[in-house]
Amino acid sequence: MPSEGKNIPVNYNEIPRTIKRRPYYIITPGMIVLIGILIPFILAIFLSFTNYSFKSMHWRFVGVRNWTDMLTNVDFYHALLITLIYAVSATVVQMVLGTVIALLLKKDTLYSKVLKVLFTFPLMVAPAIAVLIWQLMTSNTVGVLEKFLNVFGVFNFPWASSYKTSMFTAVLIDTWVNTPFILLLVLAGIQSLPKSPFEAAQVDGASAWFTFKTLTFPMLKPFMYIALLFRLMAALQEFGVIFSLSKGGPGDSLMNISLTAYMTAFKYSRVGVAMPYLLVLWVIINYSAKAIVNRQRKLARQAQGL
Amino acid sequence: MHFKKKAAILLTLAMVSSSLVGCSGGNSTAPSASSGNTASSASAEQTQAKPSQFDWKKYSGTTLKVYFVQHFCSAPIIAKLSEFEDKTGIKVEHTVTPEANYFDKVSTSLSSRSGDPDVFMSGAYQLWDYSSAGYVDDLSNYTSDAGATSSDYDFDDFVPSVVNALKWDGTAGHKVGSGQLLGLPLMSEIYTLSYNTRAFKQLNLQVPKTLDELADVSKKLKNWNGTGSYGLAIRGARDWGTIHPGYMSTYSNFGASDFAIEDGKLVSKVNSPEAVKMTTYWTNLVKTGCAPGWSSYTWYDCSADLGAGKAAMMLDSDSVGVQQNWKGASQEAGNLAWATIPVVKEGDTPKSNFWTWALAMNSASKNKGAAWYFIQYFTSKDFAKYATIEKNSLDPCRESVINSSEYEKKMSAQTGYLESFKATIDNSTILFTPQPSFFETTTNWAATLQDIVAGKYSNVQAGMDDLKKKMDKAVEDVDVG
């Protein structure tokens, strides 16, 4: 469609230089960010083929040794398993809890407003501080949770100090910190839903479950996918809660890939050895994120009848 | 357009590759490890141009960067920084970091070879890592230089065992005590038994002298001060700090060792009969007499529990317990006393592992003369006395302070403290075998100990066999000369 008022030159040579340069100005910040991301990434790949260490000023190429060492190390598969168990359990629990609480608080009453403020409080607490709070609460001598369990005849519940309960404790703390994030996203989704289908369902006498199943849940799915994407990515690279809680212990019970890489790089100074762990984690996160995005796109296309 | 696209891609690649070249330039541009181990040319330049008389103002106008760990021995230095600045004209910029993250910060800073920090606090174990990489200067180059060192410094006044703990020849497997002086000590600690006299009176118990008695008493002291109180506080967190105090001292009292050199290689000995016997004893001790949350316990937790009346005894540093016993310092202040570390059988000589916080110099420092002045000032006799007597930084590393009437008087209220210190100090040294993978091997050790206590292994022998494999793997590339 021809523009009105302004004559746009059709010959490229007639375009003023300032206008010609505009795309470069626009793309520059993006390029800087891209380079900022690429440098550490390429460096990580490069270092994964060296024996680079904080303990030595000299390094050399070691070929694929770091990779084969990792792939033949039983601790790597243990760390991989812990990473997946933690990420899946924390994400599932938080998704279910966050969605349920959001549905319960969807009405705009004074009661729900107060509860929304209370539920979002943990979002303002840094994970390390949250762990300190929970360490106090779970203390076997002064902890409020211990006193609570005592009422039910449970004494000295081991929380993070036992193999059997350390994963549960870490996921519990993570859930306390991160469920409000899901809650906020889902609540925002609920509030943006069109009102007319729900009014029609009400007029038709549809039950609450039927309305949820056929209207609320399908329409909320895009928001839930976004929440799922962010939470799963963060849970796969979990570090703060586990490190502050038990440094991966007791034993190796919570040694996920992030912690293993951190310990190897910074505690044992073997940077080259740690890099394959981080790159594997990057692949897992990238693949998971892509899978979720593709699924969401597929659903969107289905909804449009495509 | 095509050309521009290609040019943009080439430019991007050029930028990335130039960054990589910059990063990997360590091979060609970094100074050699050997040069880092001796006073480098920079320091030589500074120290060779020595004045006929020692001058505290020689480096006036220099700015030093110093890393401190959050500890009661760094507090007196920070309190006296302005005095040092006035005396020398050297400006000090410092940071204080909690112990949990401190060494990560130091390691990354030293490896950058930027010269920042000029001076840092360190323990002996960390210095094995740093000196292997050539990151620290040999301070004997300065202590032996009359032009660089004040005449009243009196190096011979240091307690020999403490200075020896900071000397190492750089060969894995060789004991400490000779070679380069990697740092100068601020304080030291040995491991003794701190106990609550009220608890022992209350239950009419005798202070344990042997390890069997310790296990027995620990069990009897469960709930001595109400539900949740327990017998013995010992470290259990998943890091090297769990191994080096009570565990390593007792391990050595059982006759076990961590490594031996066999066929020119370092070989772990943690699955020897003595080591397994000791770890079996320790596991039972943890299960029957220690805090339920043992696996998260660091020295902070142990000493806090002792002061709060939760733990009746603590097998850890002699000095951290005292910080709970100063008047008004804790709930149980005034009730704490000290005894030597329990031994295998009565009459055995109590042997303790050793720890010392020291000041060390970054070999890449661009201000080595000023850095040495800083180290010299804060390890001097006068400062050591001030830190100990006025600021409660224990244990002093200078004979003149230990033998002073002020120290005697100060510690007289700490029942059994000086007696147990004197009975132990001469038999104390670093009981670990020096090697540059110390943190990897000891962290694996702590994790395995947690696994054994948690019952992950069918028996202690299986756990220690597994640990041996991990330790051997960690030191497989270590050159034992």
Side-chain angles (χ1 to χ4, degrees):
Chain A
M1 190 175 167
S3 64
E4 290 172 12
K6 272 188 176 180
N7 289 326
I8 295 175
V10 285
N11 189 338
Y12 181 77
N13 293 330
E14 288 174 20
I15 299 172
R17 194 177 285 176
T18 49
I19 295 177
K20 276 189 201 169
R21 284 181 181 167
R22 262 185 208 166
Y24 296 102
Y25 296 146
I26 292 165
I27 206 171
T28 301
M31 283 299 287
I32 292 170
V33 172
L34 184 66
I35 291 168
I37 293 168
L38 277 177
I39 287 176
F41 181 69
I42 294 171
L43 197 58
I45 296 174
F46 174 79
L47 288 173
S48 74
F49 297 104
T50 72
N51 68 344
Y52 186 83
S53 161
F54 290 141
K55 285 194 275 190
S56 169
M57 285 185 285
H58 305 279
W59 52 262
R60 60 185 166 80
F61 284 98
V62 292
V64 292
R65 194 180 85 178
N66 293 336
W67 288 89
T68 50
D69 278 359
M70 180 187 76
L71 294 171
T72 53
N73 186 353
V74 68
D75 290 343
F76 164 68
Y77 296 99
H78 172 79
L80 189 62
L81 188 67
I82 296 296
T83 303
L84 296 176
I85 292 174
Y86 185 91
V88 171
S89 52
T91 308
V92 168
V93 171
Q94 288 160 30
M95 285 298 296
V96 172
L97 262 182
T99 308
V100 168
I101 297 169
L103 289 167
L104 291 174
L105 298 180
K106 68 179 178 184
K107 283 185 183 162
D108 213 14
T109 61
L110 179 67
Y111 173 72
S112 74
K113 277 179 186 166
V114 173
L115 280 178
K116 274 175 210 167
V117 173
L118 286 177
F119 274 120
T120 48
F121 167 73
L123 268 187
M124 291 161 227
V125 181
I129 306 288
V131 173
L132 282 178
I133 295 169
W134 275 85
Q135 276 174 339
L136 270 177
M137 292 202 306
T138 54
S139 160
N140 290 128
T141 45
V142 294
V144 64
L145 289 176
E146 175 69 17
K147 306 267 184 259
F148 176 74
L149 289 177
N150 289 169
V151 175
F152 298 98
V154 179
F155 292 90
N156 288 331
F157 187 77
W159 297 105
S161 61
S162 159
Y163 247 87
K164 289 174 188 159
T165 52
S166 58
M167 177 67 83
F168 163 77
T169 308
V171 171
L172 181 68
I173 298 172
D174 196 288
T175 301
W176 185 80
V177 174
N178 290 309
T179 301
F181 173 75
I182 312 278
L183 166 68
L184 282 182
L185 273 177
V186 177
L187 256 181
I190 290 172
Q191 278 159 8
S192 69
L193 297 182
K195 288 197 170 54
S196 50
F198 295 93
E199 286 165 358
Q202 205 173 11
V203 170
D204 289 346
S207 69
W209 171 244
F210 185 80
T211 308
F212 172 77
K213 198 175 70 173
T214 55
L215 288 178
T216 316
F217 186 64
M219 284 199 274
L220 265 182
K221 267 184 180 175
F223 299 95
M224 291 178 70
Y225 269 111
I226 292 169
L228 176 70
L229 178 71
F230 282 111
R231 262 325 292 148
L232 187 66
M233 282 169 70
L236 281 168
Q237 51 188 304
E238 174 53 43
F239 179 82
V241 167
I242 295 178
F243 185 75
S244 309
L245 184 67
S246 67
K247 292 185 180 134
D252 287 341
S253 62
L254 290 176
M255 284 300 286
N256 65 4
I257 291 182
S258 289
L259 251 81
T260 306
Y262 167 79
M263 294 295 284
T264 310
F266 292 100
K267 294 285 177 193
Y268 312 151
S269 305
R270 297 173 187 235
V271 181
V273 176
M275 287 306 138
Y277 285 85
L278 289 175
L279 290 166
V280 163
L281 186 61
W282 175 80
V283 169
I284 294 170
I285 291 170
N286 204 25
Y287 182 79
S288 309
K290 265 190 181 162
I292 292 169
V293 170
N294 287 344
R295 177 77 188 146
Q296 204 255 336
R297 278 186 187 156
K298 196 177 166 190
L299 281 175
R301 279 200 299 272
Q302 279 174 355
Q304 289 166 7
L306 299 170
Chain B
M1 284 301 275
H2 257 308
F3 171 74
K4 283 185 179 171
K5 212 182 212 175
K6 276 180 187 170
I9 292 167
L10 280 172
L11 185 67
T12 310
L13 284 174
M15 287 172 75
V16 173
S17 56
S18 64
S19 311
L20 283 176
V21 170
C23 296
S24 62
N27 253 353
S28 56
T29 56
S32 69
S34 59
S35 73
N37 279 342
T38 57
S40 71
S41 58
S43 81
E45 204 177 288
Q46 283 167 328
T47 52
Q48 270 166 16
K50 57 190 172 195
S52 53
Q53 265 199 317
F54 178 77
D55 176 16
W56 277 110
K57 289 281 185 193
K58 185 176 175 186
Y59 299 103
S60 182
T62 311
T63 300
L64 278 182
K65 288 185 178 166
V66 184
Y67 284 2
F68 294 116
V69 72
Q70 195 170 32
H71 196 271
F72 56 74
C73 77
S74 58
I77 303 181
I78 294 163
K80 284 271 185 184
L81 279 180
S82 57
E83 206 171 275
F84 170 76
E85 288 177 333
D86 291 345
K87 184 167 183 168
T88 60
I90 297 167
K91 194 174 176 307
V92 179
E93 290 175 0
H94 72 278
T95 59
V96 183
T97 309
E99 202 173 330
N101 312 102
Y102 177 72
F103 290 111
D104 299 350
K105 184 177 168 175
V106 173
S107 300
T108 42
S109 297
L110 293 179
S111 69
S112 74
R113 310 307 293 144
S114 64
D116 179 9
D118 299 287
V119 176
F120 60 97
M121 276 174 71
S122 182
Y125 312 143
Q126 288 79 9
L127 288 172
W128 299 339
D129 256 20
Y130 303 151
S131 70
S132 302
Y135 295 161
V136 286
D137 252 12
D138 179 1
L139 297 182
S140 62
N141 290 314
Y142 302 92
T143 55
S144 59
D145 183 341
T149 306
S150 169
S151 57
D152 59 0
Y153 187 64
D154 196 2
F155 181 77
D156 294 335
D157 183 50
F158 280 111
V159 176
S161 59
V162 189
V163 175
N164 285 339
L166 294 162
K167 281 183 182 171
W168 186 43
D169 67 6
T171 304
H174 285 193
K175 295 285 176 197
V176 295
S178 63
Q180 296 177 358
L181 181 60
L182 305 174
L184 277 166
L186 293 168
M187 59 84 71
S188 65
E189 63 187 33
I190 51 168
Y191 302 100
T192 58
L193 185 73
S194 320
Y195 62 95
N196 189 317
T197 51
R198 188 169 70 82
F200 279 77
K201 269 184 208 150
Q202 199 174 297
L203 294 175
N204 198 24
L205 295 170
Q206 292 295 310
V207 179
K209 287 180 181 151
T210 65
L211 289 162
D212 287 340
E213 288 170 8
L214 179 70
D216 183 46
V217 167
S218 300
K219 217 184 290 178
K220 285 178 180 163
L221 282 163
K222 191 174 180 183
N223 295 333
W224 69 277
N225 202 21
T227 311
S229 59
Y230 61 94
L232 180 69
I234 47 176
R235 302 188 206 186
R238 194 187 184 282
D239 62 39
W240 62 275
T242 286
I243 302 301
H244 91 107
Y247 181 91
M248 190 62 191
S249 304
T250 307
Y251 186 82
S252 188
N253 282 328
F254 263 80
S257 61
D258 56 349
F259 284 99
I261 297 176
E262 285 175 4
D263 300 327
K265 286 192 82 170
L266 265 187
V267 178
S268 170
K269 290 284 163 191
V270 291
N271 63 343
S272 68
E274 300 83 16
V276 172
K277 195 175 171 194
M278 182 273 161
T279 308
T280 306
Y281 166 81
W282 200 259
T283 307
N284 291 332
L285 187 68
V286 171
K287 283 180 180 171
T288 57
C290 296
W294 163 83
S295 66
S296 65
Y297 268 53
T298 65
W299 68 267
Y300 296 108
D301 306 286
C302 295
S303 65
D305 275 10
L306 186 71
K310 281 163 70 179
M313 297 181 286
M314 177 178 74
L315 189 50
D316 207 289
S317 158
D318 57 344
S319 52
V320 298
V322 180
Q323 308 299 344
Q324 302 289 335
N325 206 34
W326 304 122
K327 199 175 174 188
S330 73
Q331 197 179 308
E332 295 298 322
N335 292 332
L336 305 182
W338 283 262
T340 52
I341 190 167
V343 289
V344 177
K345 60 177 192 301
E346 210 163 344
D348 283 358
T349 307
K351 235 191 306 185
S352 166
N353 193 31
F354 207 85
W355 170 261
T356 176
W357 275 114
L359 288 176
M361 191 194 295
N362 184 349
S363 63
S365 165
K366 294 171 184 75
N367 307 298
K368 291 189 178 181
W372 166 240
Y373 272 33
F374 182 92
I375 294 173
Q376 183 182 173
Y377 185 87
F378 289 110
T379 54
S380 67
K381 279 201 278 196
D382 286 348
F383 178 78
K385 196 164 200 175
Y386 160 80
T388 305
I389 307 300
E390 291 183 44
K391 291 287 181 180
N392 301 334
S393 177
L394 306 172
D395 292 313
C397 308
R398 285 198 169 259
E399 303 269 16
S400 57
V401 183
I402 294 170
N403 299 326
S404 69
S405 55
E406 292 100 317
Y407 185 62
E408 196 91 20
K409 190 177 164 202
K410 185 181 180 74
M411 302 313 290
S412 60
Q414 311 299 331
T415 311
Y417 184 87
L418 282 178
E419 291 82 350
S420 51
F421 174 80
K422 284 173 183 167
T424 315
I425 186 70
D426 291 338
N427 321 310
S428 301
T429 185
I430 289 182
L431 298 169
F432 288 102
T433 303
Q435 45 90 9
S437 295
F438 174 82
F439 294 103
E440 188 164 358
T441 53
T442 45
T443 304
N444 280 331
W445 203 334
T448 305
L449 189 60
Q450 289 185 337
D451 279 343
I452 292 169
V453 171
K456 189 187 162 194
Y457 293 102
S458 54
N459 55 47
V460 176
Q461 183 73 54
M464 298 309 265
D465 286 344
D466 194 29
L467 174 62
K468 177 190 158 52
K469 281 183 208 154
K470 287 180 181 172
M471 287 173 85
D472 284 342
K473 173 82 183 156
V475 298
E476 69 181 353
D477 293 333
V478 171
D479 180 14
V480 293

